[in-house]
Amino acid sequence: MSSTASQGGRVRMSKTEECYVTLKGRIMDGTYGPGHRIVVDQLKRESNASVIPWREAVRRLEAEGWVEVVPHVGAIVKTFDTGAFASSMRIVARLEGLATALSVEHLTAENIDAARAMNRDMEKALGEFDPVRFGRLNRAFHAEIYTRCGDEHLTQLLDAEWARVDLVRRSAYWYAPGRALASVAEHDALLDLLEIRADTEVIETTARRHELNTLEAITSYQERLDSEAV
């Protein structure tokens, strides 16, 4: 999406980009929850943008899978189910395994220390029964590592899939008893490998396995709940 240069040489977003960022932000922070109907005329009245950039923003979000257009209803925020969560987790596992392996040569001792500090804070959040803080720290922990991969496109892909995972299950760990504590231990093991600059294939497999362990734990727990409900 193009941007326009403002006076002074600074770059500002186009109207369509502004509308897109606004809509996606409202979806991500829960202002527009699953099933929420997006009314373009109302958005126009609330802003200084015309109908056209709002419609373009909706089309972009539809193409990215955040919004669906229902006949005779209009654009609504898509409802993500456990199937969508599983799909995104598998993508995250693959991409993050690669990104983590690529990050080895770029990670500094300070980066690893920062990640360890986050992991210790995650333990504290568990002890204080604070799932929201735990989830936020978990997200930051992974970003601290994979954003060092040196591949901007790969980082953007991971950011997008992590956003999807966060939206589907903001407190996923708490639906699988014991998974959160196991995750913290796996983080420590991964950091140990990164610190000694272990073989990149080992690091990639370990990072991928970590995400798949989360998926399997949540899936198994959900299946058990479903069977008990029958």
Side-chain angles (χ1 to χ4, degrees):
M1 195 63 61
S2 63
S3 297
T4 305
S6 65
Q7 291 182 351
R10 290 179 297 177
V11 176
R12 57 184 172 82
M13 291 187 290
S14 66
K15 284 293 184 183
T16 298
E17 188 73 16
E18 288 179 5
C19 293
Y20 166 81
V21 170
T22 297
L23 282 178
K24 189 169 183 179
R26 290 178 184 180
I27 292 171
M28 292 307 303
D29 68 15
T31 301
Y32 292 170
H36 178 89
R37 184 166 175 254
I38 298 174
V39 182
V40 171
D41 286 339
Q42 181 180 337
L43 290 168
K44 173 183 174 296
R45 290 193 296 270
E46 294 173 355
S47 69
N48 61 353
S50 68
V51 168
I52 294 174
W54 285 114
R55 284 177 176 163
E56 288 295 325
V58 169
R59 277 195 282 268
R60 181 173 169 184
L61 289 167
E62 181 187 15
E64 293 178 356
W66 297 100
V67 166
E68 61 182 330
V69 177
V70 180
H72 311 300
V73 175
I76 63 172
V77 178
K78 196 169 183 178
T79 300
F80 294 93
D81 55 20
T82 53
F85 171 75
S87 176
S88 285
M89 282 299 296
R90 291 189 190 99
I91 294 172
V92 165
R94 289 288 181 182
L95 294 181
E96 191 160 338
L98 174 60
T100 303
L102 292 174
S103 296
V104 176
E105 60 182 288
H106 304 292
L107 283 168
T108 65
E110 290 74 20
N111 297 147
I112 293 176
D113 286 345
R116 286 197 189 279
M118 289 177 200
N119 212 31
R120 298 288 72 78
D121 285 342
M122 287 173 69
E123 284 184 312
K124 293 178 183 177
L126 278 177
E128 295 167 0
F129 301 99
D130 189 344
V132 174
R133 184 161 175 259
F134 181 92
R136 186 167 60 247
L137 285 165
N138 181 66
R139 178 72 178 83
F141 173 91
H142 288 274
E144 180 68 26
I145 297 171
Y146 74 68
T147 55
R148 315 293 172 183
C149 70
D151 186 326
E152 184 179 354
H153 182 59
L154 179 56
T155 297
Q156 290 174 346
L157 289 173
L158 268 167
D159 285 343
E161 289 306 321
W162 265 109
R164 223 175 280 274
V165 167
D166 290 341
L167 184 63
V168 178
R169 288 271 178 102
R170 295 184 187 276
S171 302
Y173 288 97
W174 297 86
Y175 291 110
R179 178 57 200 157
L181 192 58
S183 181
V184 170
E186 289 171 11
H187 285 174
D188 279 330
L190 179 59
L191 289 174
D192 289 343
L193 291 174
L194 291 169
E195 195 163 39
I196 65 173
R197 294 181 180 271
D199 182 82
T200 54
E201 288 189 10
V202 173
I203 290 173
E204 181 172 353
T205 299
T206 301
R208 184 170 65 246
R209 186 68 254 170
H210 167 65
E211 301 300 351
L212 291 176
N213 285 345
T214 296
L215 173 59
E216 289 169 6
I218 295 170
T219 301
S220 295
Y221 184 59
Q222 187 63 54
E223 288 174 351
R224 192 167 80 237
L225 289 179
D226 291 343
S227 65
E228 292 173 354
V230 175

